[in-house]
Amino acid sequence: MSGITLIISFVIAIIIMIWLIAKLKVHPFLALMTISLSLALIAGISLNKIPSIVGDGFSGTFKSIGIVIIFGAIIGTILEKTGAALKLADMVVKIIGQKKPELAMLIMGWVVGIPVFCDSGFVVLNPIREALRKKIAANPVSMAVALSAGLYAAHVFIPPTPGPIAAAGAVGLSHNLLLVIGMGTVVSLPVLFASYLFAKWTSKNITLIEDDSDPIISKSYDELLKQYGQLPSGFLSLAPIFIPILLMALGSISKIMAIEGNLGILLQFLGNPIIALAIGVIFAILLLIQSGKSSEFDTLTNDTLKLVGPILFITAAGGVLGKVITEAGFVEYIKQNAHIISTAGIFFPFLISAILKTAQGSSTVAIITTASIMGMFNASDSLMSALGLTSEIAASLTVMAIAAGAMCVSHANDSYYWVVTNFSKMTPQQGYRTQTMLTFIMGIVGILTVYLLYLVLV
C-alpha cells in the first residue's frame, strides 16, 4: 500500500472510531479493537501476523503500566471513602485562608485531583464549596470554576490518575513516573494561574438561581466537616500520595549519583513505580484502619477494580492500535516525509488528542489513544522517532502535550461537563460559557507552556 493511501486509511479509521464512540455509543475498547483489526486487514498485514500483533500490543500495556494504574486507583478510592480527601481540602482552606476562596478551591481541587478522579472529586468537594461560599458570601460561579479547574488540571497532567500513567507507559516512561509527575506539576502551574484569572472574570457575567433545598449543602462549613465524624490525621491523608513520590525521587537520585552496593539496590527497588505505589497502598490501608473501615477494604478494592477495569482494557486496546500503525508502515512513510510533519513537532500529539477529546468526550480515552499512536520514544519505528522526540525529557513533554489536548474542550458529550454544571446549578448555556471556555483556555495555556519548555529543554 502506498504512503498516501496509508495516510488516507489512517484518517478514515480515526474518523470511524470517533463516530463509533461518539454517535453509536460503542464502548471505546470495542471501537479501538475493531478499528485496529480493520486497519491491519486494509493495510495488507499478513494474516498470520495479526494475532501476534494483537497479543503483543495488548499484553505489553498490562506488563508496563497495568499494576501501577490499579494501585493508583486503589489509593484514590480509599482517600475518597475515608474522608482523607476532605481532610486534604480542609488543610488547604486553613493554609490559604478564607479571604481568597477561589484560590482555596483551585488548590483544593488540584491536591485532591492527583489521586481522585475529577468527576468524583467534584462531587465530594462540592458540599465544602457550597458551605464555605455561604460562610464568607463568596461568588458561587467563581468558586465552582476554580474547583473544576484544579481537579481537571491534576486529572490530566499528574499521575497517579490513569490517563497520564497510561500515556507514560505508552511513550516508554513507565520506569520514570517521577519525571512525568514533576513535569505535570510544572506545566499545571501556568494553567492554574490562567484558570484563576478566568474564574475571577467569568463570575461577573453569570448569575445563578439560588436553591437551598439540598440539606447537605445548606449546612455550614464547620457542620459539614463534623458530619463526617473524626477526619483522618493530616499525615496519613498525605502519606499515600507523597510517600510514593518521595520513594521515586530517592530512586532517581540514587541512579544519578550512581550509588552502589546494597543501599543503591534498596533505593532503586523502593523507587520503582510499582513498589513505590504498593507502599502507598499500605499507607492507604493504615488510613482505613485508623478510620475504622478496615472491614470495607475488600469492597473498596472490588469497586476500584470495576472502575479501573475499562480503563485498563482501553489502554491495552490502544496498545494494539499503536502496534498495527507501526506494522502497517505508516510510521516509516512519515519518517520518509519527516520534513513535512516535523514542522508540527510537539503540537502534533496535542492536535490529535484535542480532536479525539472534543469529538468523543473522554479525556482518558483521548490521552490513551493518542499516546498509543505516538509510540515509544526509544523505538526507531515510532511516530516519536519521526518527530524527533527521542529523549526522556521530550517524551515527558509529549505526555504533557497530549494531556493539554485532552482538555480541549469539555462540552455536552463529557460527563465532567454535566457534573460541574449540575452540581453548580448552572444551565447548559452557562456551562458552555464557563466549563467549556475554561477547558479551552486550560488546553491552550497548557500547550503553550509545553512548547516553551520544549524550546528550553530539548
Side-chain angles (χ1 to χ4, degrees), residues 178 245-256 264 267-272:
L178 181 66
I245 293 175
L246 176 61
L247 291 174
M248 285 187 278
L250 291 174
S252 297
I253 291 171
S254 71
K255 288 181 182 179
I256 294 171
L267 289 176
Q268 291 187 34
F269 169 75
L270 294 175
N272 180 283

Side-chain angles (χ1 to χ4, degrees), residues 79-354:
L79 288 177
E80 178 184 341
K81 299 300 183 182
T82 58
L86 290 172
K87 179 65 178 181
L88 293 174
D90 188 46
M91 291 166 65
V92 169
V93 171
K94 288 179 178 177
I95 293 171
I96 303 300
Q98 299 177 4
K99 294 182 179 179
K100 296 181 183 288
E102 293 86 4
L103 183 59
M105 290 297 110
L106 190 74
I107 298 176
M108 178 192 299
W110 186 69
V111 172
V112 173
I114 293 174
V116 179
F117 280 79
C118 58
D119 301 67
S120 56
F122 197 94
V123 174
V124 169
L125 298 180
N126 186 62
I128 286 184
R129 177 190 70 85
E130 284 279 6
L132 182 61
R133 187 264 301 179
K134 291 181 179 181
K135 182 174 183 177
I136 62 177
N139 187 290
V141 176
S142 62
M143 292 180 71
V145 171
L147 177 59
S148 169
L151 286 162
Y152 203 32
H155 181 76
V156 301
F157 284 124
I158 306 175
T161 45
I165 285 185
V171 303
L173 287 178
S174 58
H175 65 288
N176 198 355
L177 278 182
L178 181 66
L179 176 61
V180 181
I181 292 171
M183 197 65 75
T185 301
V186 171
V187 172
S188 66
L189 293 178
V191 173
L192 292 173
F193 178 71
S195 302
Y196 177 73
L197 295 179
F198 177 74
K200 297 285 285 186
W201 174 82
T202 192
S203 62
K204 300 176 182 178
N205 306 307
I206 295 178
T207 302
L208 300 183
I209 299 175
E210 297 294 334
D211 181 9
D212 292 342
S213 60
D214 192 322
I216 295 179
I217 64 175
S218 64
K219 296 182 179 180
S220 73
Y221 178 73
D222 296 327
E223 287 175 335
L224 180 65
L225 292 179
K226 288 179 182 178
Q227 174 186 318
Y228 288 89
Q230 183 68 35
L231 292 178
S233 69
F235 172 76
L236 277 181
S237 298
L238 289 168
I241 307 172
F242 292 104
I243 293 295
I245 293 175
L246 176 61
L247 291 174
M248 285 187 278
L250 291 174
S252 297
I253 291 171
S254 71
K255 288 181 182 179
I256 294 171
M257 297 180 65
I259 298 175
E260 298 179 352
N262 292 333
L263 178 60
I265 293 172
L266 178 63
L267 289 176
Q268 291 187 34
F269 169 75
L270 294 175
N272 180 283
I274 292 177
I275 303 302
L277 281 167
I279 293 172
V281 172
I282 292 173
F283 276 98
I285 293 172
L286 294 176
L287 189 59
L288 270 178
I289 294 172
Q290 188 205 47
S291 303
K293 297 182 178 180
S294 56
S295 61
E296 299 179 23
F297 182 53
D298 181 62
T299 302
L300 291 177
T301 303
N302 284 330
D303 291 344
T304 302
L305 292 176
K306 290 176 184 177
L307 176 68
V308 84
I311 294 170
L312 287 171
F313 291 130
I314 294 169
T315 303
V320 174
L321 178 60
K323 283 282 187 182
V324 169
I325 288 171
T326 298
E327 190 68 27
F330 174 78
V331 174
E332 187 59 34
Y333 175 76
I334 292 296
K335 290 173 74 173
Q336 293 172 3
N337 297 272
H339 62 285
I340 299 174
I341 192 174
S342 62
T343 56
I346 200 72
F347 288 96
F348 182 80
F350 168 80
L351 291 172
I352 296 295
S353 182

Side-chain angles (χ1 to χ4, degrees), residues 141-142 145 195 198-199 201-208 409-412 417 420-421 426-441:
V141 176
S142 62
V145 171
S195 302
F198 177 74
W201 174 82
T202 192
S203 62
K204 300 176 182 178
N205 306 307
I206 295 178
T207 302
L208 300 183
V409 291
S410 176
H411 61 99
Y417 168 86
V420 173
T421 53
M426 296 185 197
T427 65
Q429 293 76 15
Q430 290 173 330
Y432 278 105
R433 292 168 60 189
T434 54
Q435 179 68 5
T436 302
M437 183 57 66
L438 168 71
T439 53
F440 175 75
I441 292 171

